[in-house]
Amino acid sequence: MEKLHRRDFLAQLSLATVAVSVPKHAFSFHSKADAFVEVETTYGRIKGMQNEGVNLFKGIPYGGRISGDRRFRRPAPLEPWTGVRDALQFGAPAIQPPRRNEPAPSEDCLFLNVWTPANDNKKRPVMFYSHGGGFVGGSGAAGGQDGSNLARNFDVVVVETNHRLGLLGFLYLDELGGADYAGSGNMGMLDIAAGLKWVYDNIAQFGGDPNNVMIWGESGGGAKTSCLYAMPEAAPYFNKASIESGPGVRMTTKEIAAETTAMLLKELNIAPKDWRKLLDIPAADLLAMQAKLPFVPPFIEKNKNLGMMRRNYGGFGPVVDGVVLPHHPFDPTAPAISRNKPLLVGWNEDEYAFFAWERKDTEFAKLDFDSLSKKLEPQYGEDTAKIVDTYRKANPDATAPQIFMAISSITMMGLGSVDIAEKKVKQGGAPVYLYNFGYKSEKKIPGTDYPMGTPHAMDISFKFNNEIPPRDGSAPKESFFGGNRPERFTASRHFAELWTTFARTGKPAAKDVPKWPAYNLKTRPTMRIDTTCEVIDDRFSHELAVWRAVGKL
């Protein structure tokens, strides 16, 4: 097994989340309709379906053509239609490998889906979700994130978009293409902002409140949410946010993005002055080329070695271009543009278990404390002994594999989450709430006796309230990650209720859950979400202290 360093984990995250975004229980885009529902939008009338008390509208176009001469540019204007357009099947996802139970990917992919309890002009909170999959995969119809149960059980409206990804969404051409290609390095983010504007203009017809919109997302969707939180173009259209296991503190700089563009042109044997030849290359060929280049993780480490950053992070993701994304989302400070917008941020306790599963890493489960230090030394060098010693003292009963899991998980998603929370507090504006998701799955990582615990991406089905007994009274099926224990239904209810209450009021709360205090720099309260939830003050204090001491936080 090759040694897995933090940057290796993160570089794989974009692909890894794609792998889990279509598990066996993914819902089909051929849903059974109890009845049909028609509604007027700003572009024309559409027909959706009613199913078990939820109205679902699939594949609604929110932008025009982005292929041909519109590649790497703002979409063509969306043409209104006459008559009634069917919104009964999910729209094509962005160009990527084919996705199970979904339409074939397409370059023209600007579609969104809406789940609502009723089209009755009631002003419900709107939960606008950005899917995971890093910046290269996923869709608004991915398994586990069906919005039906949130809409039905918590009286909210759920919206999910497809948007440009990878090379087609984030190729930086500003310096080559001129005014027509301004913002090219952030087209995928501008698509999402356009989806938010569509919500503002139309969601009242779907029973939602355009002035009470929460943006949220997991993994790559958390990084996208971090960017939206700092984007002037998105700012008028949302009121609060949640960043889940994807703390986008920093994004790609213009300099690195320009080098990636130069690398691509060189690989394609295209001179910079002839860059327009990119417009004629089939999208499938660009996808194949994209796979040969590095991937951008959901967040980029603070690293003064620019050369190393170029080697590690020269891929396709949002670009700090000074205009669309004026600065890094949370570096050096929380974005002033969202100062008064409440924020949730946090991570899963056993994030690395997902990557062990995805990478078939069984070796970590065999570690003893001697081999643990040897495994960590290439990444942490002379600080390894200090880090391991701190973790052993803070967790005296932990085994070497458990210490490795704890270190790997907090460095992947925890340190950035804490960084965001601290910077939001220092801003002195709206509150920020820090969480850890901790429900433990009993399922084993294949090839080991090590339990999955709370791996990366397991939160998706829990927070969407999709860990729930079947409505027809049949026996529950095993959850893809969450296992078989019925306690998971309670944890899912807590998670979903906390998030929907936050969407409604700006303060997370739920029945049978302690009051969740806003984060502060004195007591540092963290909500641990589980079958029984608890507020823990100054959690991981010793561990975070050592990460500060070695310059990782």
Side-chain angles (χ1 to χ4, degrees):
M1 179 71 187
E2 63 179 316
K3 292 180 178 178
L4 299 176
H5 296 173
R6 181 186 183 208
R7 61 179 179 266
D8 298 319
F9 298 149
L10 295 176
Q12 288 294 325
L13 186 57
S14 51
L15 287 183
T17 309
V18 174
V20 78
S21 62
V22 284
K24 294 176 183 177
H25 62 268
F27 54 93
S28 170
F29 58 90
H30 297 295
S31 297
K32 178 182 177 182
D34 297 332
F36 295 104
V37 185
E38 292 187 11
V39 64
E40 192 73 34
T41 75
T42 49
Y43 295 99
R45 197 163 183 83
I46 59 174
K47 179 173 72 174
M49 65 182 71
Q50 185 178 77
N51 185 27
E52 296 186 323
V54 175
N55 294 349
L56 171 54
F57 299 84
K58 304 177 181 181
I60 306 170
Y62 68 90
R65 181 173 54 82
I66 47 176
S67 59
D69 63 349
R70 287 286 174 167
R71 180 180 283 179
F72 311 125
R73 294 176 59 193
R74 299 270 184 160
L78 180 59
E79 297 293 333
W81 55 87
T82 57
V84 180
R85 179 186 180 118
D86 282 350
L88 303 174
Q89 292 191 2
F90 291 120
I95 289 292
Q96 60 189 288
R99 298 176 57 80
R100 186 183 303 156
N101 289 336
E102 294 187 34
S106 170
E107 188 166 356
D108 288 311
C109 62
L110 301 189
F111 303 99
L112 57 78
N113 314 308
V114 180
W115 291 259
T116 180
N119 294 74
D120 56 4
N121 294 312
K122 181 178 176 181
K123 291 189 174 182
R124 296 176 178 85
V126 180
M127 301 181 72
F128 185 100
Y129 189 75
S130 290
H131 64 73
F135 301 113
V136 298
S139 86
Q145 64 189 48
D146 182 340
S148 297
N149 285 332
L150 280 185
R152 179 188 299 111
N153 299 333
F154 298 95
D155 199 36
V156 298
V157 178
V158 180
V159 181
E160 302 178 23
T161 68
N162 295 348
H163 42 268
R164 278 175 280 188
L165 298 169
L167 189 158
L168 291 168
F170 300 101
L171 181 64
Y172 182 70
L173 293 169
D174 292 43
E175 294 165 12
L176 294 176
D180 284 349
Y181 293 85
S184 55
N186 286 303
M187 283 298 146
M189 293 307 309
L190 288 169
D191 291 345
I192 302 174
L196 280 167
K197 184 179 186 302
W198 184 96
V199 165
Y200 185 81
D201 292 339
N202 291 278
I203 208 65
Q205 303 299 317
F206 296 82
D209 184 352
N211 296 308
N212 189 13
V213 176
M214 169 184 170
I215 56 172
W216 56 315
E218 179 270 346
S219 191
K224 295 168 193 172
T225 302
S226 301
C227 292
L228 293 169
Y229 203 70
M231 282 175 54
E233 194 145 338
Y237 307 122
F238 72 92
N239 312 90
K240 53 187 74 71
S242 175
I243 299 166
E244 301 138 13
S245 295
V249 176
R250 302 168 194 87
M251 291 293 135
T252 303
T253 64
K254 287 192 296 184
E255 293 76 16
I256 295 174
E259 288 198 7
T260 302
T261 301
M263 186 191 315
L264 173 71
L265 292 173
K266 183 177 180 181
E267 288 286 333
L268 292 169
N269 198 27
I270 296 174
K273 65 182 178 63
D274 296 326
W275 68 268
R276 287 184 178 274
K277 290 182 179 180
L278 290 171
L279 303 179
D280 300 321
I281 296 175
D285 293 347
L286 291 179
L287 179 64
M289 181 57 64
Q290 173 184 300
K292 297 179 180 180
L293 298 174
F295 294 100
V296 171
F299 70 93
I300 294 176
E301 281 190 271
K302 194 171 187 178
N303 192 329
K304 295 181 181 178
N305 186 337
L306 189 59
M308 181 172 288
M309 285 185 70
R310 286 175 180 142
R311 289 196 299 274
N312 292 339
Y313 300 129
F316 300 105
V319 179
V320 182
D321 60 6
V323 181
V324 176
L325 189 58
H327 45 72
H328 291 291
F330 287 91
D331 186 35
T333 62
I337 197 170
S338 290
R339 183 180 186 276
N340 296 319
K341 297 179 179 182
L343 180 65
L344 281 168
V345 63
W347 75 100
N348 298 352
E349 289 178 350
D350 305 297
E351 298 274 1
Y352 176 71
F354 172 95
F355 301 91
W357 166 78
E358 192 271 337
R359 295 287 297 271
K360 297 181 173 59
D361 177 13
T362 59
E363 294 302 309
F364 88 93
K366 304 173 186 176
L367 291 171
D368 58 25
F369 283 107
D370 287 337
S371 56
L372 171 64
S373 294
K374 291 177 182 177
K375 188 173 181 67
L376 294 174
E377 276 174 2
Q379 188 171 1
Y380 300 113
E382 62 184 15
D383 293 322
T384 301
K386 182 190 303 182
I387 293 167
V388 172
D389 183 60
T390 298
Y391 269 77
R392 293 190 69 177
K393 288 179 178 176
N395 306 275
D397 298 326
T399 64
Q402 287 171 334
I403 295 293
F404 179 77
M405 179 67 68
I407 289 173
S408 300
S409 297
I410 200 170
T411 53
M412 293 175 106
M413 301 298 170
L415 299 184
S417 300
V418 171
D419 191 17
I420 286 174
E422 291 181 348
K423 286 172 176 172
K424 182 66 178 172
V425 169
K426 290 175 182 176
Q427 190 178 50
V432 58
Y433 300 88
L434 184 66
Y435 77 90
N436 297 140
F437 180 43
Y439 176 81
K440 300 302 179 189
S441 170
E442 78 282 7
K443 294 183 73 170
K444 299 293 196 283
I445 296 172
T448 78
D449 288 325
Y450 199 97
M452 293 292 292
T454 318
H456 184 71
M458 192 175 92
D459 56 306
I460 299 173
S461 60
F462 279 74
K463 68 196 177 194
F464 274 91
N465 201 212
N466 289 332
E467 299 291 342
I468 192 170
R471 290 172 58 80
D472 62 7
S474 60
K477 295 180 180 179
E478 182 180 55
S479 170
F480 187 74
F481 277 148
N484 262 325
R485 294 189 295 117
E487 291 89 343
R488 71 186 189 274
F489 305 144
T490 302
S492 179
R493 175 81 190 189
H494 287 157
F495 209 151
E497 188 174 355
L498 287 166
W499 259 237
T500 53
T501 304
F502 179 75
R504 183 168 279 106
T505 68
K507 295 181 180 180
K511 183 182 178 182
D512 300 324
V513 171
K515 182 179 179 181
W516 187 347
Y519 195 73
N520 65 76
L521 300 182
K522 184 178 180 181
T523 60
R524 300 178 182 271
T526 300
M527 176 65 79
R528 184 179 184 276
I529 301 169
D530 199 339
T531 302
T532 299
C533 298
E534 61 178 323
V535 175
I536 304 173
D537 285 342
D538 208 8
R539 193 173 196 205
F540 304 122
S541 58
H542 298 291
E543 294 94 328
L544 293 175
V546 77
W547 294 120
R548 289 189 178 93
V550 301
K552 296 291 184 180
L553 178 59

